[in-house]
Amino acid sequence: MWGLVPLFWPLLKPAGAVEILAHRMVWSLAVVGLALLVLRRWGWVRELLRSPAKLGLIALAAAVITVNWGVYIWAVNTGRVVEASLGYFINPLVTIAMGVVLLKERLRPAQWAAVGIGFAAVLVLAVGYGQPPWISLTLALTFATYGLVKKKVNIGGLESLAAETAIQFLPALGYLLWLGTQSSATFGAEGAGHAALLAATGLVTAAPLVCFGAAAIRVPLSTLGLLQYLAPVFQFLLGVVYFHEAMPAERWAGFSLVWLALTLLTWDALRTARRGRTEAARLAAEAATVDAVKPRAEAQTEAQAPEVEAR
C-alpha cells in the first residue's frame, strides 16, 4: 500500500499539496478515532496527558511528520516520484548516522562502509541534479527523526497516530475553513467523487500503519526490515515505468550506490542476527546440559551422605 500511494495523490487534483495535507490530517484523526472506539483502547490517553515530556515528543513527532507528508505529496504531484523514492531508500542510512551522532552508538565495519557508500551516492546525485537532492534528504531526515521520536515515546502505532493527528487537527481544520471563506477549497466544489477521495486520505494513511503494526508482532524483525524496502522499490518503478520520469546515467549511478549500501547493510544485519541465534542456541544447550547433570550430582551426594555420617 505504501509503495502504490503515488498513484493516489494525483487523483486529488486540482487540490493543492497543502489542502491535501490538511485533509489527510483531519480525516486520519476520524479514521483512527473510530478504530480506537471499536477497540476500546483509551487508557493510554490519561497516562499521556500526565506526562508533559511525552506530550512534547508527540508534538515534535506531529511537526516532523507534517513536513514529511507535505513534501511527499508535493513531490509526487509535481512529477518527482523517483526523487521521493530515493528518500526512503536512504532513510535506513540516515537512521544509522543519527544513531551515531545523537545516541553515540557504535557501528560495525560493514555499517560504516554502508554509510560511506550512501554519502558518496548523495554526492553523485548532487552532481547529476546540479544541486543536492533536497526532496530525498528532507524525506529521509524527517522520517528518521520521526522514528527516533516514536522510539522515545514508546506507545502503540495506532495510539501514537491518534495523538499526533489530534495535535494536527485544529490547525488543519482551521486552514480548510479559511480556504472555504476564500472560495479556494476544492472539497465539494469538484463533485462528490472528489470529496470522497479527499476523505479517503484518512484511510490511505491509517490502513498501511495498522497492517504494519499487526505484522510487527507476527513477522521476524529481519524479515520486516527487508519488506520495508518494497515501498521505495514500488515507488521507483512507478516513477520510471508509469510516470516516465527521466533517469540519466548519473542518476542511475547514484541509485546503484544506494542499492549497494543497502545490500551491504542488509547482509550485515542478517549475519549479525544469525550469529545471535547461534549464540542463543549454544547458551540454551549449555543450560540444558547443566540442568541434566545437576540432579544426578545431587542424587550422588545424597547417596554418599549416610556413608559420610557413619564415618
Side-chain angles (χ1 to χ4, degrees):
M1 286 187 276
W2 274 325
L4 296 175
V5 159
L7 295 173
F8 179 73
W9 303 126
L11 300 177
L12 305 181
K13 293 177 180 180
V18 180
E19 184 181 1
I20 295 171
L21 175 63
H23 274 286
R24 187 178 188 180
M25 294 171 178
V26 169
W27 294 107
S28 291
L29 180 61
V31 171
V32 174
L34 182 62
L36 290 173
L37 191 64
V38 171
L39 296 172
R40 298 181 180 179
R41 282 159 52 178
W42 297 104
W44 58 274
V45 176
R46 186 178 300 174
E47 183 183 345
L48 183 62
L49 291 175
R50 290 175 178 172
S51 175
K54 280 193 174 183
L55 276 174
L57 288 173
I58 287 288
L60 177 59
V64 169
I65 203 62
T66 296
V67 175
N68 183 274
W69 286 355
V71 170
Y72 185 76
I73 293 168
W74 176 82
V76 170
N77 283 0
T78 54
R80 302 186 181 190
V81 176
V82 169
E83 194 173 347
S85 75
L86 176 64
Y88 294 103
F89 275 126
I90 65 176
N91 176 64
L93 302 172
V94 173
T95 300
I96 288 174
M98 289 178 67
V100 173
V101 175
L102 300 178
L103 305 180
K104 308 302 179 185
E105 294 179 353
R106 298 182 64 180
L107 299 187
R108 296 182 293 273
Q111 291 175 312
W112 276 116
V115 171
I117 294 170
F119 182 73
V122 171
L123 292 179
V124 170
L125 289 164
V127 171
Y129 282 109
Q131 61 179 5
W134 293 117
I135 292 173
S136 308
L137 292 173
T138 301
L139 290 173
L141 285 168
T142 52
F143 202 71
T145 304
Y146 180 67
L148 179 64
V149 173
K150 296 264 278 190
K151 183 179 177 68
K152 294 288 185 183
V153 174
N154 193 28
I155 64 174
L158 201 62
E159 292 85 349
S160 179
L161 183 61
E164 292 154 22
T165 50
I167 290 171
Q168 296 168 334
F169 180 78
L170 287 179
L173 183 62
Y175 175 76
L176 292 175
L177 293 174
W178 177 81
L179 277 183
T181 62
Q182 301 297 309
S183 301
S184 301
T186 62
F187 186 81
E190 298 294 324
H194 183 263
L197 285 172
L198 284 172
T201 55
L203 195 61
V204 167
T205 300
L209 186 68
V210 171
C211 290
F212 179 80
I217 59 175
R218 293 170 172 82
V219 180
L221 193 61
S222 56
T223 305
L224 200 66
L226 289 173
L227 288 173
Q228 288 187 74
Y229 291 137
L230 286 177
V233 166
F234 274 117
Q235 292 165 14
F236 174 80
L237 292 174
L238 284 173
V240 174
V241 177
Y242 183 80
F243 293 105
H244 304 291
E245 294 184 18
M247 281 295 291
E250 59 271 17
R251 196 175 291 185
W252 277 114
F255 268 85
S256 298
L257 285 172
V258 170
W259 294 332
L260 175 61
L262 292 178
T263 301
L264 186 59
L265 201 62
T266 303
W267 168 79
D268 178 68
L270 292 175
R271 183 186 62 168
T272 304
R274 192 180 300 113
R275 284 180 176 175
R277 287 194 298 268
T278 302
E279 181 65 16
R282 185 184 66 79
L283 292 173
E286 288 181 357
T289 302
V290 170
D291 290 342
V293 169
K294 188 177 179 181
R296 290 201 298 268
E298 289 176 350
Q300 186 176 358
T301 303
E302 289 175 2
Q304 291 175 348
E307 183 181 346
V308 172
E309 193 173 323
R311 289 177 183 175

